[in-house]
Amino acid sequence: VFGKMQNFIAVKDATTNKTYMHTPHISGGTTTNPNIVGVSTYDARRMGETPFILLSALFGFTGFEVETGNSFFADPAAVSAHTNSMKINDYFQKIHKRNSLDDKGMRLISTVHIGSKWNNAAWNGKQMLYGDGDGIILGSLAGGLDVAGHEMTHGVIENTTDLIYQDESGAINESLADIFGAYGEMYATGTVDWDMGEDIYTPNIPGDGGLRSLSDPTSVRLSTTYLPSGHYPDHYDDRYLGTLDRGGVHINSSINNKAAYLITDGGTHYGVTVQGIGRTKAEKIFYRALTLYLTPSSGFKDMREAAIQASRDLYKDRNGQPSPETAAVIAAYDAVGVP
Ligand SMILES: CCCCC[C@H](S)C(=O)N[C@@H](Cc1ccccc1)C(=O)N[C@@H](C)C(=O)O
Ligand SMILES: [Ca+2]
Ligand SMILES: [Zn+2]
């Protein structure tokens, strides 16, 4: 681990004689990318997310120094959060030519050990926050590279289209967080993985996938308080119309997630066949749709139009016919029932 952690320097605190992991603002950029992006990781020492978010907003509080004991990196959550933020930043730098979350080289700040057994992670408008999980449903969320990708994508969204976090636009917000979380993880690991949170989901039950699946949303059970169907929807007609979860932002996101999966890997869904175009094209279409065509109130229909337009820009129609890429986008949104 140390080899990969060139950004950490351990400073010895004379009074406590303990070694702290400190991450200065790194002028040379992170280890693997030239742009000047600082990386900092802090410890909330189980402060709840509400007070933390308040102190963050009022005083710019980021948490406490991470204690590493007397050996390097005694805190695996801090190490994971730190390295995961660098990997996802690399993804946005290399693939989308984006210089950090704001495209202006902003520092990547993570704080771990938020709350007590908090089964969540979040973006508070300035940084990533990670709970430790309860050890049953979720393990430490900092351990999930796709979790970091999800939260950091909220940072990208906030600095671009800033989709309203409610109802349909909130579901698109959540879906893009999952989509780029998945793409970023696949870029970094080099393996195909359409589950969200598989590394942290039910730590005592191996091989049961993640919190959500982009390839088959209905394969993951949902607490039935939300939906009579008991599972995540993979068609617009099955969308959740209630008020829970800010109008189902973590539920209806699965409809757009399925569309992204079909565009990328292809498949036949409710009788509609999509010829996949691969991740390197699909990710460009979604990034261009997010940064050029979506607006804060965009819903599913707008998402469909934005993706088609982005694809047309990148992969021109030929003699009046849509390119294979654009045909895949159209078919995928037809398949999930988004008109
Ligand atoms: C503080 C208010 C809630 C913020 C919700 C954050 S953005 C979120 O969506 N977190 C993800 C965490 C995650 C990401 C990828 C994989 C697994 C888990 C999330 O899905 N949260 C669920 C549990 C939720 O909030 O319902
Ligand atoms: Ca995953
Ligand atoms: Zn989210």
Side-chain angles (χ1 to χ4, degrees), residues 80-96:
S80 298
H82 198 93
T83 50
N84 287 343
S85 70
M86 291 160 62
K87 289 175 182 169
I88 297 299
N89 184 54
D90 282 358
Y91 168 71
F92 281 110
Q93 298 257 5
K94 296 270 186 358
I95 301 299
H96 302 296

Side-chain angles (χ1 to χ4, degrees), residues 108-156:
L108 304 173
I109 301 174
S110 306
T111 304
V112 296
H113 307 307
I114 299 261
S116 167
K117 299 180 187 291
W118 188 39
N119 277 329
N120 221 336
W123 165 262
N124 74 343
K126 298 157 83 168
Q127 62 161 98
M128 293 77 86
L129 285 62
Y130 296 98
D132 292 322
D134 61 8
I136 308 294
I137 301 172
L138 296 177
S140 169
L141 282 94
L145 179 53
D146 51 9
V147 179
H150 177 109
E151 302 313 340
M152 289 171 75
T153 300
H154 282 307
V156 172

Side-chain angles (χ1 to χ4, degrees), residues 255-305:
I255 298 161
N256 196 57
N257 288 356
K258 178 75 183 192
Y261 165 74
L262 289 169
I263 292 166
T264 310
D265 282 11
T268 299
H269 188 54
Y270 295 106
V272 179
T273 297
V274 184
Q275 299 297 330
I277 62 176
R279 191 181 82 228
T280 55
K281 291 179 175 175
E283 67 198 343
K284 286 187 181 48
I285 291 171
F286 278 105
Y287 186 76
R288 186 174 181 85
L290 168 63
T291 52
L292 277 188
Y293 296 116
L294 289 177
T295 68
S297 60
S298 289
F300 282 86
K301 190 174 178 344
D302 306 306
M303 177 71 250
R304 171 195 170 106
E305 296 308 323

Side-chain angles (χ1 to χ4, degrees), residues 1-338:
V1 169
F2 182 63
K4 296 196 185 82
M5 306 296 284
Q6 295 156 31
N7 286 340
F8 287 91
I9 51 171
V11 291
K12 204 169 234 351
D13 178 320
T15 48
T16 63
N17 197 30
K18 286 204 157 132
T19 310
Y20 288 95
M21 176 174 80
H22 187 70
T23 316
H25 190 112
I26 299 155
S27 60
T30 59
T31 42
T32 54
N33 75 71
N35 288 294
I36 298 174
V37 176
V39 186
S40 294
T41 303
Y42 300 90
D43 181 348
R45 296 187 186 162
R46 290 179 185 70
M47 177 188 290
E49 79 271 10
T50 304
F52 181 88
I53 291 171
L54 189 68
L55 292 179
S56 163
L58 292 178
F59 310 111
F61 179 66
T62 56
F64 304 96
E65 285 297 324
V66 175
E67 181 177 342
T68 56
N70 288 319
S71 64
F72 276 122
F73 319 129
D75 185 346
V79 171
S80 298
H82 198 93
T83 50
N84 287 343
S85 70
M86 291 160 62
K87 289 175 182 169
I88 297 299
N89 184 54
D90 282 358
Y91 168 71
F92 281 110
Q93 298 257 5
K94 296 270 186 358
I95 301 299
H96 302 296
K97 305 287 172 268
R98 186 177 186 84
N99 184 15
S100 194
L101 307 181
D102 61 351
D103 204 16
K104 300 189 187 81
M106 73 182 269
R107 170 181 280 271
L108 304 173
I109 301 174
S110 306
T111 304
V112 296
H113 307 307
I114 299 261
S116 167
K117 299 180 187 291
W118 188 39
N119 277 329
N120 221 336
W123 165 262
N124 74 343
K126 298 157 83 168
Q127 62 161 98
M128 293 77 86
L129 285 62
Y130 296 98
D132 292 322
D134 61 8
I136 308 294
I137 301 172
L138 296 177
S140 169
L141 282 94
L145 179 53
D146 51 9
V147 179
H150 177 109
E151 302 313 340
M152 289 171 75
T153 300
H154 282 307
V156 172
I157 292 169
E158 186 160 331
N159 282 287
T160 51
T161 298
D162 202 7
L163 285 150
I164 297 159
Y165 200 64
Q166 177 79 31
D167 303 324
E168 288 209 4
S169 54
I172 299 300
N173 189 325
E174 271 298 305
S175 171
L176 291 170
D178 279 353
I179 291 166
F180 287 111
Y183 285 160
E185 183 174 44
M186 288 194 257
Y187 168 81
T189 63
T191 57
V192 175
D193 151 26
W194 290 105
D195 285 326
M196 290 309 294
E198 71 285 346
D199 294 338
I200 56 153
Y201 185 61
T202 57
N204 308 314
I205 307 169
D208 65 340
L211 207 71
R212 294 182 290 278
S213 163
L214 286 85
S215 54
D216 180 9
T218 65
S219 68
V220 180
R221 286 203 49 68
L222 189 69
S223 61
T224 45
T225 49
Y226 280 137
L227 284 178
S229 69
H231 55 64
Y232 288 93
D234 62 1
H235 194 280
Y236 190 64
D237 294 350
D238 290 340
R239 68 192 180 283
Y240 172 72
L241 295 168
T243 56
L244 295 173
D245 186 32
R246 296 167 187 254
V249 300
H250 292 95
I251 301 170
N252 297 331
S253 53
S254 284
I255 298 161
N256 196 57
N257 288 356
K258 178 75 183 192
Y261 165 74
L262 289 169
I263 292 166
T264 310
D265 282 11
T268 299
H269 188 54
Y270 295 106
V272 179
T273 297
V274 184
Q275 299 297 330
I277 62 176
R279 191 181 82 228
T280 55
K281 291 179 175 175
E283 67 198 343
K284 286 187 181 48
I285 291 171
F286 278 105
Y287 186 76
R288 186 174 181 85
L290 168 63
T291 52
L292 277 188
Y293 296 116
L294 289 177
T295 68
S297 60
S298 289
F300 282 86
K301 190 174 178 344
D302 306 306
M303 177 71 250
R304 171 195 170 106
E305 296 308 323
I308 291 171
Q309 187 56 56
S311 180
R312 285 213 144 90
D313 295 348
L314 295 166
Y315 310 105
K316 303 266 184 274
D317 289 9
R318 275 194 297 273
N319 44 59
Q321 291 305 315
S323 61
E325 294 80 8
T326 304
V329 175
I330 292 167
Y333 281 101
D334 287 349
V336 298
V338 175

